[in-house]
Amino acid sequence: MQENISKVGIFGGFSFDTPKLLPTAPSTSAKPAVSMSAGAKDAISTLTDNSLTEKREKKPLFTFPGALAKPAISPAAGAKDALSTVTDVSLTERMETKPLFAFPAAQQKLESQWRDMEWTEEQKTSLMKTISSYRPICHEVTQVLLLGPVGSGKSSFISSVQSVFNGRVTNRAMVGSSLTSFTKKLQSFHIHSQKGKDPTGLVLCDVVGLGGGEMTGLTLYDILSVIKGHVPEGHKFSPDQPVRSETVGYVKKPSLKDKIHCVAFVVDASKVLTYPKGFSSTFQQLREHISELGVHQVALLTHVDQICPETANDVAKVYKSHIIREMMSKAGALLGMSTSYIVPVKNYSSELDLDASTDVLLLSAVDHILQYAELYFQDNIPQHTGPKID
């Protein structure tokens, strides 16, 4: 794996630059191929007046399900202005939280929930007890790696989950608000059932976000090294210093407790339609390599309150929302993943007090993750028959 995978950072266009295993995602101006021979410059000016201008006014940049949509560039159009017109829709503009579409108000709610969920204090208490008492059969911990674009809500999810157990909103994982990743290194957070109490068997691992308009320093090889358990806690990722056996603290022979047992992809519901074009292939290539390691994957769809007013007012309406159900399907197409693996989430951000329905949704997401993490132990420990409950 180390010899075949190029140690190039995932950035802007999210190309791995790995000709052997991971073909580079085409740029937005790559198709159709336009000759730059004589006369090309005269043909270039035809693009901006018609096709792309109209597309940006009337249609979202990307259409799901299926392959990401390509800008409609006519064969007569040249490459030079085509590139500048596409790139005018900057990463900053495309990552705005305002959704590019709206559903009729009459269709925002369903008559009944499309997933069964109880929104009671009893359900919250039951989920907290289940998570608090969970221990994998190896009597160590379950390590879950959160992977997602910059600003998708990975760190906020960690803080929100810990807030539920603390009984008040706290920001345990440092959260940023810029378009660059606030997290720069590998950080592991042991979730505690109560303040001052022993930690649960769950550890949520945070790493630098994917993309963000600049090289983040995170390579495919680095991600796989984290999952295999080679990367030391606190390692700061850098494009100039990819993880290798000479890295300070490098774990040469990782044990089961050092490895990642489940990967949770985190995507922002308000940005699913505007993520850069290369994200779809990036996610799906990541998933293929992670699956080869025998690690199961799930996904969290964050910021669902930003695309559905009904859910923003009452989180318990999340599974009655047409908008959210539709966006989960589009997220599934982006990730190459069935929607049965995806759960919606609302993180705590500006709130100062907890909300019971938000807590239930967060705890349900954790329970969902643990179910797939448990499959890792079933696959790798033959004598395993079920989770160890204290």
Side-chain angles (χ1 to χ4, degrees):
M1 181 70 72
Q2 183 172 355
E3 296 178 355
N4 294 330
I5 300 176
S6 174
K7 301 168 184 176
V8 177
I10 301 174
F11 59 96
F14 304 93
S15 169
F16 287 113
D17 191 22
T18 54
K20 290 186 177 182
L21 291 178
L22 306 174
T24 303
S27 65
T28 52
S29 61
K31 293 186 179 180
V34 179
S35 172
M36 290 302 293
S37 59
K41 290 185 177 180
D42 292 337
I44 292 173
S45 60
T46 62
L47 174 65
T48 56
D49 292 338
N50 299 310
S51 61
L52 281 182
T53 301
E54 182 177 351
K55 260 185 100 62
R56 289 175 58 188
E57 291 178 352
K58 297 182 179 180
K59 298 181 180 179
L61 290 175
F62 307 115
T63 302
F64 295 89
L68 291 170
K70 300 179 176 58
I73 302 176
S74 66
K80 187 173 181 181
D81 280 0
L83 176 61
S84 63
T85 303
V86 173
T87 54
D88 281 345
V89 187
S90 66
L91 181 62
T92 300
E93 180 180 349
R94 285 184 280 132
M95 292 183 70
E96 289 179 353
T97 57
K98 183 177 180 181
L100 299 183
F101 69 98
F103 285 84
Q107 294 184 358
Q108 288 182 359
K109 290 195 301 180
L110 296 174
E111 292 296 326
S112 59
Q113 293 189 124
W114 41 275
R115 278 185 182 171
D116 291 332
M117 180 72 71
E118 295 181 13
W119 305 96
T120 62
E121 284 289 345
E122 291 78 12
Q123 176 68 1
K124 172 183 173 180
T125 301
S126 175
L127 285 168
M128 290 180 70
K129 183 178 179 181
T130 298
I131 295 168
S132 297
S133 60
Y134 174 83
R135 298 291 186 280
I137 192 62
C138 61
H139 61 76
E140 292 288 348
V141 295
T142 295
Q143 295 205 123
V144 178
L145 178 64
L146 303 180
L147 280 179
V150 173
S152 58
K154 303 188 310 300
S155 300
S156 294
F157 176 73
I158 294 171
S159 292
S160 296
V161 170
Q162 189 60 72
S163 294
V164 177
F165 286 100
N166 287 348
R168 60 187 179 87
V169 178
T170 55
N171 291 314
R172 186 180 177 194
M174 301 295 287
V175 179
S177 59
S178 67
L179 293 179
T180 57
S181 182
F182 193 85
T183 302
K184 302 295 183 184
K185 58 187 180 180
L186 175 63
Q187 293 178 286
S188 300
F189 297 88
H190 292 258
I191 302 302
H192 292 256
S193 57
Q194 289 182 3
K195 187 176 181 180
K197 298 289 186 179
D198 291 336
T200 66
L202 173 64
V203 176
L204 297 177
C205 303
D206 197 8
V207 293
V208 60
L210 306 178
E214 64 173 22
M215 188 177 294
T216 66
L218 190 66
T219 69
L220 172 61
Y221 181 77
D222 288 344
I223 293 173
L224 298 180
S225 293
V226 170
I227 295 172
K228 292 177 182 178
H230 293 301
V231 182
E233 174 71 13
H235 173 78
K236 187 173 181 179
F237 298 96
S238 169
D240 300 324
Q241 297 179 336
V243 176
R244 52 192 172 203
S245 58
E246 294 80 15
T247 298
V248 176
Y250 183 87
V251 182
K252 294 183 178 180
K253 295 182 179 180
S255 64
L256 189 63
K257 68 179 181 63
D258 298 315
K259 299 178 181 180
I260 294 299
H261 310 124
C262 181
V263 170
F265 288 99
V266 184
V267 293
D268 185 341
S270 69
K271 299 175 184 176
V272 167
L273 298 181
T274 57
Y275 277 134
K277 186 176 181 179
F279 255 134
S280 182
S281 59
T282 295
F283 277 128
Q284 295 184 40
Q285 289 162 6
L286 272 171
R287 292 196 61 234
E288 288 178 6
H289 283 272
I290 294 171
S291 294
E292 289 177 359
L293 299 178
V295 177
H296 295 270
Q297 303 131 60
V298 297
L300 307 177
L301 185 67
T302 59
H303 301 138
V304 291
D305 54 310
Q306 294 183 13
I307 66 170
C308 177
E310 291 286 342
T311 300
N313 293 330
D314 183 1
V315 176
K317 302 290 180 62
V318 64
Y319 286 127
K320 293 184 177 181
S321 171
H322 276 286
I323 299 174
I324 294 173
R325 189 174 191 179
E326 187 73 16
M327 194 55 67
M328 286 182 64
S329 295
K330 298 182 187 300
L334 175 70
L335 295 165
M337 179 182 290
S338 167
T339 54
S340 62
Y341 296 98
I342 306 173
V343 291
V345 165
K346 179 188 181 302
N347 292 329
Y348 285 112
S349 54
S350 60
E351 300 87 351
L352 296 178
D353 300 311
L354 298 178
D355 171 73
S357 295
T358 300
D359 292 349
V360 168
L361 195 61
L362 286 164
L363 293 170
S364 296
V366 174
D367 184 59
H368 179 74
I369 290 171
L370 289 177
Q371 290 181 38
Y372 284 92
E374 186 64 20
L375 294 177
Y376 178 90
F377 298 107
Q378 292 181 14
D379 295 340
N380 291 276
I381 304 178
Q383 69 273 21
H384 180 62
T385 57
K388 179 182 177 181
I389 306 296
D390 291 342

